[in-house]
């Protein structure tokens, strides 16, 4: 295993991740990718530990990915889903977390439809002086750190299949297109990609890309002056795509039309949909990412999504398991029962 | 009760602007004597050395919420009264959003009979609309005859037509009216003020125009009718500018913001503490700055507490799912003093007036000077006493505050309710 320092009990946001931490995740994930290519795709790293998936918001894909990652690390897994719980009987979110704490949980993977819930549970775990780690698997419109880290690994793998490292992204142009406002994936990716030295270009209509995105990223340099960040915003698609190395599109929820944010899906696709034609503005070897699930023909054209020359969508899903193994391993390995 | 001699106390008289160190003798609810050094003291007087302490005009809260009747698990009238006294407030005006609402003489007399005999003065805002539902005005002429501070729903009125009619109807009534300007449609499902922090934190946001567009409507209605209005819970920089202009034009408006809007801004939301979920939400740093300046300049007349108790279960939810509001009566003076007086941003008198005579003026009421033969409606405050905010130190039944578990400096020693 890679020997690196990792002092983080919780992974709640990528806002304050340091370049060294990204490197640690990438290197650890790369070693798990090697494990996953073996015939026996399992290591005893977290044997005896209990990992609980607290998914207050329904999720199949992310939960499956975390569950598989935990199993590949030989941890025992518990799954919580609100439909089968006593949440409706007046139990608070902290009560639920404490129940799983009492069951012996070492790590909690938490998804919630509202921003801030993983952080609230992490604070409660710290207040109770437990050493339970909390991993944010998506909170409202806030962040989805493991998704951004798997995107980072996917991109690095492509640039150098042997040694994924942050410096590969330096100077690359990455366009993030679509409903930035409501996207936790975009927020986490903004932090990771700008920290890598990539030039990040956001594109979307003004209603889905408020001007404040540039402000808070600029503000972050005050607390992390050693991490210069390059972020540009565009209310048109073309300048974002021009000479881009990577294009990340985001899921557009159908309800945005009724919230007066867009006139129609048709116009959205016309203005911001990613098509083969549009990609001609980008570098010839441009690749397209999407966190899924995809609205075919809305944010990305159907044929492009299935075109292995452009689409990295299935690589993203595969990378997800290795990245989640890396995070669980790094968070869990310092604990009793974990492999040091 | 024996006479009390407060020696070497810093007297802050909000009514006269007096600020000096004196001895004060209190007896049977009255101020008996004030002098640089009192020598004629009753034999049985309790003598307290108050060096470094402040004796000021009793604090006045323009609006807060009572749990009783209807939500006694949050706060009862008794716990609220104790919290008010512990925080230095001798008068608190309660909003009518109880269950049942205080929208009729009967309901108001009911609660007033419960308050009878209690020493601290809990006063009542009657509702402006029936059931505070914003559809039909209450019997305002009859309410104007009752002993209430005025009429307010404590909720935004959605229909400009109703605002206009209420102000027309109330013209001859001499009834203080307080309105909260907020367009619920523009607010949508937002929970924090739109801006950089809302975007970073991924919390649904409320544009400032949710407040300012509703404010513009109210100001136009005031201009058209001439009926005085108090503007509650002002929270944006743009609103401050609009109110400054309205006042310059001579419109009969007064305005208040809340203590938390002066102390915090959206940057504090990084904690996702549900106790920072307020309505209106905390402003941006620019909003906060404008509000602080507006208290200094007088564009905003008063600081309100807007004390709103919620149980642990009600507040232990995601930020966006939390009911808006926080307790404040026991915390406001300590925190405001530390933030503005200790730092010398404001004079002690500026803060004290914004918490006493200025809110009273918004209600068309006055308070006398601190002088011999006057009733002792006073607050004694030790600005350097350290204490920790927790369930044991709080008199309120609920502990829904951002400062729970934190150490504060400055605590009220005693209040006298005249």
């Amino acid at each position: 295993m890679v020997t690196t320092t990792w002092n983080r009990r919780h992974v709640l946001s990528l806002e304050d991740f340091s370049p060294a931490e990204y490197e640690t995740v990438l290197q650890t994930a790369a070693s798990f990718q090697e494990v996953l290519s073996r015939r026996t795709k399992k290591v005893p790293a977290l044997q005896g530990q209990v990992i609980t998936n607290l998914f207050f918001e329904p999720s199949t894909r992310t939960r499956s990915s975390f569950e598989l990652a935990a199993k590949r690390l030989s941890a025992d897994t518990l799954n919580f889903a609100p439909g089968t719980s006593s949440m409706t009987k007046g139990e608070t979110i902290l009560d639920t977390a404490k129940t799983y704490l009492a069951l012996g949980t070492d790590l909690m993977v938490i998804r919630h439809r509202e921003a801030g819930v993983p952080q609230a549970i992490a604070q409660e775990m710290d207040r109770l002086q437990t050493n339970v780690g909390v991993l944010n698997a998506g909170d409202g419109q806030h962040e989805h750190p493991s998704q951004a880290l798997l995107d980072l690994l996917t991109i690095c793998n492509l640039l150098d299949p042997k040694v994924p490292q942050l410096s590969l992204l330096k100077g690359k142009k990455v366009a993030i297109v679509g409903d930035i406002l409501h996207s936790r994936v975009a927020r986490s990716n903004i932090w990771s990609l700008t920290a890598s030295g990539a030039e990040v270009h956001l594109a979307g209509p003004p209603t889905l890309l408020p001007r404040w995105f540039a402000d808070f990223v600029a503000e972050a340099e005050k607390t992390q002056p050693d991490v210069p960040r390059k972020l540009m915003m565009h209310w048109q698609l073309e300048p974002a795509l021009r000479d881009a190395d990577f294009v990340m599109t985001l899921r557009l929820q159908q309800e945005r039309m009724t919230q007066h944010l867009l006139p129609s899906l048709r116009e959205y696709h016309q203005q911001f949909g990613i098509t083969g034609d549009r990609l001609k503005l980008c570098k010839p070897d441009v690749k397209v990412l999407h966190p899924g699930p995809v609205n075919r023909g809305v944010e990305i054209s159907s044929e492009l999504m299935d075109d292995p020359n452009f689409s990295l969508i299935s690589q993203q899903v595969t990378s997800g398991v290795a990245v989640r193994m890396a995070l669980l391993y790094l968070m869990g390995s310092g604990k009793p029962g974990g492999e040091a | 009760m024996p006479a009390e001699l407060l020696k070497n106390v810093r007297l802050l008289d909000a009514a006269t602007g007096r600020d000096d160190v004196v001895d004060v003798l209190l007896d049977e609810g009255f101020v008996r004597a004030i002098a640089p050094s009192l020598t004629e003291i009753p034999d049985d007087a309790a003598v307290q050395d108050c060096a470094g302490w402040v004796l000021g005009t009793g604090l006045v809260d323009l609006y807060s919420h009572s749990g009783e009747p209807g939500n006694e698990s949050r706060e009862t009238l008794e716990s609220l009264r104790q919290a008010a006294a512990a925080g230095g407030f001798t008068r608190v005006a309660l909003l009518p959003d109880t269950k049942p609402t205080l929208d009729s003489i009967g309901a108001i007399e009911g609660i007033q009979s419960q308050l009878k005999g209690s020493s601290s003065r809990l006063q009542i805002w009657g509702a402006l609309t029936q059931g505070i539902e914003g559809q039909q005005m209450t019997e305002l002429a009859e309410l104007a005859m009752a002993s209430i501070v005025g009429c307010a729903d404590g909720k935004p009125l959605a229909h400009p037509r109703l605002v206009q009619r209420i102000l027309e109807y109330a013209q001859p009534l001499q009834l203080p009216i307080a309105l909260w300007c907020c367009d619920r449609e523009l607010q949508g499902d937002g929970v924090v003020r739109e801006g950089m922090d809302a975007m970073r934190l991924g919390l649904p946001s409320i544009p400032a125009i949710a407040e300012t567009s509703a404010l513009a409507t109210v100001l136009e209605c005031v201009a058209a009718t001439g009926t005085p209005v108090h503007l509650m819970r002002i929270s944006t920089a743009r609103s401050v500018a609009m109110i400054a202009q309205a006042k310059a034009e001579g419109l009969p408006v007064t305005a208040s913001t809340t203590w938390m809007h002066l102390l915090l801004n959206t940057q504090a939301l990084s904690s996702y503490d549900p106790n920072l979920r307020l309505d209106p939400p905390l402003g941006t740093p620019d909003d906060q700055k404008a509000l602080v300046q507006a208290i200094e300049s007088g564009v905003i007349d008063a600081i309100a507490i807007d004390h709103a108790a919620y149980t642990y279960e009600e507040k232990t939810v995601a930020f966006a799912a939390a009911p808006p509001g926080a307790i404040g009566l026991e915390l406001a003076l300590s925190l405001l003093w530390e933030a503005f007086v200790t730092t010398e941003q404001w004079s002690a008198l500026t803060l004290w007036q914004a918490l006493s005579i200025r809110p009273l003026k918004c209600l068309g009421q006055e308070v006398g000077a601190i002088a011999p033969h006057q009733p002792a409606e006073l607050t004694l405050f030790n600005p350097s006493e350290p204490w920790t905010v927790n369930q044991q130190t709080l008199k309120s039944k609920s502990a829904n505050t951002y400062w729970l578990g934190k150490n504060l400096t400055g605590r009220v020693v005693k209040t006298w309710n005249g």
Side-chain angles (χ1 to χ4, degrees), chain A residues 180-239:
Chain A
I180 315 274
L181 173 62
H182 299 96
S183 176
R184 55 192 174 208
V185 174
R187 282 178 182 75
S188 287
N189 264 298
I190 286 170
W191 294 122
S192 58
L193 293 170
T194 54
S196 76
E199 226 179 70
V200 177
H201 293 250
L202 305 180
T207 45
L208 299 180
L209 178 55
R211 59 190 167 85
W212 292 285
F213 274 83
D215 298 345
F216 76 69
V217 172
E219 190 76 9
E221 286 196 17
K222 287 184 191 160
T223 48
Q224 271 186 317
D226 51 329
V227 185
R229 298 175 189 269
K230 281 189 194 153
L231 184 87
M232 267 64 71
M233 310 220 328
H234 309 281
W235 288 337
Q236 280 110 28
L237 185 58
E238 286 70 23

Side-chain angles (χ1 to χ4, degrees), chain A residues 167-338:
Chain A
S167 58
L168 294 167
L169 267 134
K170 203 169 174 63
K172 298 288 180 194
K173 177 170 174 177
V174 185
I176 304 179
V177 179
D179 185 0
I180 315 274
L181 173 62
H182 299 96
S183 176
R184 55 192 174 208
V185 174
R187 282 178 182 75
S188 287
N189 264 298
I190 286 170
W191 294 122
S192 58
L193 293 170
T194 54
S196 76
E199 226 179 70
V200 177
H201 293 250
L202 305 180
T207 45
L208 299 180
L209 178 55
R211 59 190 167 85
W212 292 285
F213 274 83
D215 298 345
F216 76 69
V217 172
E219 190 76 9
E221 286 196 17
K222 287 184 191 160
T223 48
Q224 271 186 317
D226 51 329
V227 185
R229 298 175 189 269
K230 281 189 194 153
L231 184 87
M232 267 64 71
M233 310 220 328
H234 309 281
W235 288 337
Q236 280 110 28
L237 185 58
E238 286 70 23
L241 291 189
R242 194 162 297 125
D243 299 318
D245 298 279
F246 296 95
V247 177
M248 187 176 291
T249 64
L250 302 168
R251 183 175 167 75
L252 183 79
Q253 304 283 351
Q254 307 278 337
E255 74 225 40
R256 302 304 171 218
M257 264 59 67
T258 56
Q259 298 166 333
H260 316 303
L261 293 163
L262 290 173
S264 67
L265 286 181
R266 182 179 161 276
E267 176 155 303
Y268 178 78
H269 184 67
Q270 215 171 51
Q271 300 290 316
F272 292 97
I274 301 299
T275 61
D277 243 13
R278 289 239 162 88
L279 286 188
K280 288 175 187 158
L281 287 165
C282 306
K283 292 258 176 70
D285 54 352
V286 65
K287 295 285 182 274
V288 178
L289 296 96
H290 191 297
V294 176
N295 291 310
R296 285 173 178 267
V298 180
E299 58 261 9
I300 182 169
S301 69
S302 201
E303 56 282 9
L304 197 58
M305 180 188 164
D306 297 325
D307 187 341
N309 292 319
F310 290 106
S311 170
L312 292 177
I313 294 173
S314 51
Q315 286 94 318
Q316 287 175 277
V317 176
T318 311
S319 304
V321 179
V323 159
R324 288 170 177 134
M325 285 175 78
L327 288 171
L328 295 174
Y329 170 79
L330 289 166
M331 294 168 70
S333 59
K335 298 180 193 307

